Amino acid sequence: MSEYQAFIGQIYKKTGLDLSLYKEVQMKRRLTSLRDKRGYESFQDYFKAINADQQLLQEFLDKVTINVSEFYRNPTRWKVLEDTIFPSFKKQMKKIKIWSAACSTGEEPYTLAIIANQFWDLKDIEIIATDIDPNVLARAKQGIYNERALQEVPIAIKDKYFHQEGATFKVNERLKKAISFKKHNLLADKYPADVNLIVCRNVLIYFTEEAKTKIYHNFNEALDDDGIFFVGSTEQIFSPEKYGFEVLDTFFYRKNYNT
Ligand SMILES: C[S@@+](CC[C@H](N)C(=O)[O-])C[C@H]1O[C@@H](n2cnc3c(N)ncnc32)[C@H](O)[C@@H]1O
């Protein structure tokens, strides 16, 4: 067993986070650079330090869970949701249940709530927003953002759903009520059920093929019959039919219940 693998085993025992399911080359590069930055020559020494120092542990976890996000990330994809998918859902559904899986600091579920609100009342929109990292969830619940996170937000939307306080923008309380933020590990925890739309973007790229396969199957099961799965811009699924999906649009897959 390599020193890195031994380290991964220790981290799993300490935190429950299984780094063997994340692509090794990328993850090792990130962690080696952090370890070197902190002045430890081996992963063994680094683990000892992490084990004894809560702050170092937190920094390590932050590095693992790469959590950049923004509102309307890749705007053209959200247009597909707005122009095609939600109008068709609206014809069939009085209420909608959406899961923003790996939601980071909340920009994604708030974007979903804003767009869904063009079609449904907020009381008929249920958004479950989950992430493995409690720190990002705490920030998501606060709903306070800087101008940069909002660069793709149309002005009318900004006026309607945000309250500017100095250099920051606060999400309005009514919008917040449509969303429940919860801690959830995609690699270990039970998945929600009867979801109409799963949005899982910019996290699957970090996982091994084995981990992705399991997640695709789990997502398929979590979806309702007409359910749709929306992926990130570099995360198209190779052979979606293997997991019970058919292509609906480039980054959208529909649950195919013939399989
Ligand atoms: C780059 S962010 C993506 C945020 C948002 N989905 C977007 O596209 O803007 C990746 C998020 O995945 C989360 N994450 C990493 N591993 C995870 C896991 N095993 N289960 C759930 N979330 C995870 C991280 O904490 C981080 O917040």
Side-chain angles (χ1 to χ4, degrees):
M1 193 196 298
S2 76
E3 209 227 342
Y4 178 70
Q5 274 154 356
F7 173 70
I8 280 184
Q10 290 166 317
I11 291 293
Y12 181 59
K13 274 200 207 119
K14 183 166 177 68
T15 67
L17 179 68
D18 189 355
L19 290 178
S20 73
L21 295 171
Y22 291 70
K23 283 182 194 155
E24 181 167 329
V25 177
Q26 283 176 11
M27 189 55 83
K28 196 170 165 187
R29 196 185 311 125
R30 296 177 72 79
L31 297 183
T32 307
S33 111
L34 182 63
R35 182 199 74 187
D36 293 351
K37 204 163 114 189
R38 290 288 157 258
Y40 299 98
E41 277 176 17
S42 68
F43 276 110
Q44 279 318 296
D45 289 347
Y46 186 42
F47 181 75
K48 275 189 211 141
I50 285 178
N51 205 22
D53 181 338
Q54 191 61 29
Q55 232 175 326
L56 268 187
L57 173 66
Q58 198 46 62
E59 181 189 55
F60 166 81
L61 291 173
D62 284 348
K63 190 72 175 182
V64 170
T65 58
I66 315 135
N67 38 38
V68 280
S69 193
E70 64 184 92
F71 287 87
Y72 290 80
R73 186 173 189 172
N74 316 113
T76 47
R77 319 271 178 266
W78 294 93
K79 208 74 191 109
V80 176
L81 202 62
E82 194 175 336
D83 292 348
T84 317
I85 293 171
F86 279 163
S88 133
F89 272 174
K90 173 70 182 167
K91 285 187 199 140
Q92 314 156 43
M93 298 167 198
K94 288 203 169 68
K95 293 175 177 216
I96 183 157
K97 182 170 174 181
I98 303 172
W99 179 18
S100 167
C103 67
S104 190
T105 35
E107 293 87 335
E108 182 179 281
Y110 287 125
T111 302
L112 282 161
I114 290 168
I115 299 177
N117 191 210
Q118 294 174 28
F119 299 87
W120 295 270
D121 282 349
L122 284 171
K123 68 171 181 19
D124 296 324
I125 301 169
E126 177 187 358
I127 300 179
I128 307 162
T130 63
D131 200 282
I132 194 172
D133 181 349
N135 292 328
V136 291
L137 289 171
R139 285 171 55 195
K141 276 183 209 163
Q142 271 194 323
I144 298 173
Y145 299 93
N146 61 26
E147 184 117 45
R148 208 169 144 260
L150 275 86
Q151 62 191 358
E152 298 292 349
V153 180
I155 288 182
I157 299 280
K158 248 191 216 171
D159 291 347
K160 185 166 175 194
Y161 294 103
F162 294 86
H163 176 69
Q164 186 167 5
E165 285 169 11
T168 59
F169 292 80
K170 195 162 193 273
V171 174
N172 87 25
E173 293 301 320
R174 285 185 54 246
L175 195 66
K176 275 191 188 173
K177 285 203 183 110
I179 306 173
S180 49
F181 290 99
K182 292 180 191 141
K183 183 164 186 261
H184 180 276
N185 179 355
L186 284 165
L187 300 167
D189 295 335
K190 191 169 177 281
Y191 282 34
D194 305 318
V195 180
N196 303 119
L197 172 70
I198 294 176
V199 181
C200 184
R201 306 182 72 220
N202 306 303
V203 62
L204 296 179
I205 32 162
Y206 302 116
F207 296 146
T208 62
E209 287 308 311
E210 181 200 347
K212 275 197 279 192
T213 298
K214 209 161 160 227
I215 291 174
Y216 292 147
H217 282 299
N218 287 343
F219 278 159
N220 190 275
E221 221 169 276
L223 284 170
D224 204 12
D225 277 355
D226 287 310
I228 285 172
F229 172 31
F230 176 14
V231 299
S233 288
T234 53
E235 297 174 315
Q236 278 150 292
I237 309 176
F238 187 68
S239 307
E241 63 288 347
K242 277 206 284 194
Y243 316 103
F245 288 111
E246 61 186 6
V247 179
L248 186 70
D249 201 304
T250 322
F251 300 96
F252 294 85
Y253 299 88
R254 180 167 38 213
K255 177 165 176 162
N256 182 348
Y257 33 96
N258 297 316
T259 52

